[in-house]
Amino acid sequence: MSSSNSVTVQILDKEYSIMCPPEERSNLLSAARYLDGKMREIRTGGKVIGGERIAVMAALNITHDLLHREQAPEMATSGTTREQVRSLLERVDLALAPDPESPKG
């Protein structure tokens, strides 16, 4: 691929140059904007610190949404689903929390 097939996207204040076929450029830009929005929501929430952790949380949220839509496309989002997502996010927060006994590096 030539450099003319390179697309620059900005995600969470960082630029990434990505090789992409011309016919997929619009989709890539849309995906980057969506991911940037999700990561900004998480960062603004203040519970997750660090770009890598924010990216993992965004990936988990997006994947959860995708899998949920595939499993129950006819169902609208309900209070139960929101509670399940909150529970999942709490478990992820706990898993990502630094271990107070481990040395900082």
Side-chain angles (χ1 to χ4, degrees), residues 31-91:
R33 278 192 300 272
Y34 185 78
L35 177 58
D36 181 62
K38 288 293 187 182
M39 290 178 70
R40 286 179 186 281
E41 284 176 19
I42 292 166
R43 183 176 68 180
T44 301
K47 291 184 178 181
V48 180
I49 299 172
E52 185 176 311
R53 288 174 182 242
I54 290 171
V56 169
M57 289 300 297
L60 284 170
N61 288 337
I62 292 166
T63 302
H64 178 271
D65 291 346
L66 175 66
L67 292 175
H68 178 70
R69 286 181 190 155
E70 287 177 355
Q71 291 173 356
E74 71 283 348
M75 292 180 62
T77 302
S78 66
T80 302
T81 301
R82 286 189 187 105
E83 290 303 317
Q84 290 171 339
V85 170
R86 281 191 194 111
S87 175
L88 175 64
L89 291 175
E90 287 172 8
R91 291 194 327 238

Side-chain angles (χ1 to χ4, degrees), residues 1-2 4 13 15-16 19-20 25-26 28-30 32-33 36 39 42 45 56 60 64 66 84-85 91 100:
M1 278 187 198
S2 69
S4 64
D13 304 324
E15 285 191 355
Y16 299 90
M19 299 302 285
C20 177
R25 179 182 171 94
S26 177
L28 174 62
L29 292 171
S30 293
R33 278 192 300 272
D36 181 62
M39 290 178 70
I42 292 166
V56 169
L60 284 170
H64 178 271
L66 175 66
Q84 290 171 339
V85 170
R91 291 194 327 238

